[in-house]
Amino acid sequence: MAVVKSRKRDIDMLARLLRAEAETEGETGMLLVGNVGINRIRANCSDFKDIRTIPQMINQAHAFEALQHGLYYQNARERERRLAQRAVNGERSWPAKFSLWYFRPGTFENPGPCPPTWYNQPLAGRWKKHCFYEPTAEECEEVYNTF
């Protein structure tokens, strides 16, 4: 059962985002990106107040670098649609289980170490080249109460 409302076009948008942001991180990496997106919709805190839909989350200013590149604008593929639906259904995994942020330090060819904090949020963990950050309970208690 879905934890956020979605239509087919929302699933397609999320699927395109997963591919554009994390295709090189495999299915797990793409699912983790989906976890962060769904957390942003459900948490209603920090930079994500009043974000309630997949289109709002994806189109939030400066939220995703992938929107600046052509891969996001290609058609959604079935593999990524399935991953997007799993994220919408509430499937969450470490290190993105409660994360609201992620990024890839360094360059694509030479990833750097994960800083211990990102925008003052503690490191939750790393998956391949991406570092994931979750807020403290003081900053965003809601993210810990969404399921």
Side-chain angles (χ1 to χ4, degrees):
M1 183 161 147
V3 297
V4 298
K5 291 182 181 180
S6 63
R7 299 171 290 202
K8 182 186 180 306
R9 68 180 178 207
D10 299 332
I11 296 296
D12 283 352
M13 274 183 87
L14 184 56
R16 293 185 351 245
L17 180 73
L18 301 184
R19 179 179 178 199
E21 286 281 321
E23 182 176 38
T24 62
E25 305 287 293
E27 288 194 6
T28 298
M30 288 188 282
L31 184 60
L32 295 175
V33 167
N35 292 169
V36 169
I38 299 305
N39 288 344
R40 289 177 177 186
I41 294 168
R42 298 205 34 149
N44 197 34
C45 63
S46 186
D47 297 335
F48 311 106
K49 291 181 179 169
D50 300 320
I51 302 291
R52 293 288 151 267
T53 68
I54 290 171
Q56 287 174 339
M57 178 266 296
I58 291 173
N59 292 311
Q60 184 182 21
H62 312 293
F64 297 102
E65 184 178 313
L67 272 65
Q68 301 170 19
H69 306 289
L71 188 57
Y72 173 76
Y73 298 96
Q74 295 179 6
N75 289 331
R77 298 186 306 192
E78 190 55 37
R79 176 177 87 150
E80 287 83 24
R81 281 189 195 102
R82 285 192 304 270
L83 292 168
Q85 189 64 59
R86 287 169 58 188
V88 165
N89 288 348
E91 183 177 331
R92 298 195 295 184
S93 300
W94 178 89
K97 187 171 185 176
F98 302 113
S99 295
L100 293 175
W101 300 270
Y102 66 88
F103 88 107
R104 185 182 65 216
T107 64
F108 186 78
E109 298 80 20
N110 187 22
C114 295
T117 60
W118 182 252
Y119 291 105
N120 297 318
Q121 305 304 309
L123 176 68
R126 181 179 198 133
W127 175 259
K128 295 188 178 183
K129 296 179 182 177
H130 283 88
C131 306
F132 291 83
Y133 296 85
E134 63 185 47
T136 63
E138 293 79 27
E139 171 77 22
C140 187
E141 182 178 351
E142 295 89 346
V143 78
Y144 298 99
N145 297 324
T146 57
F147 293 88

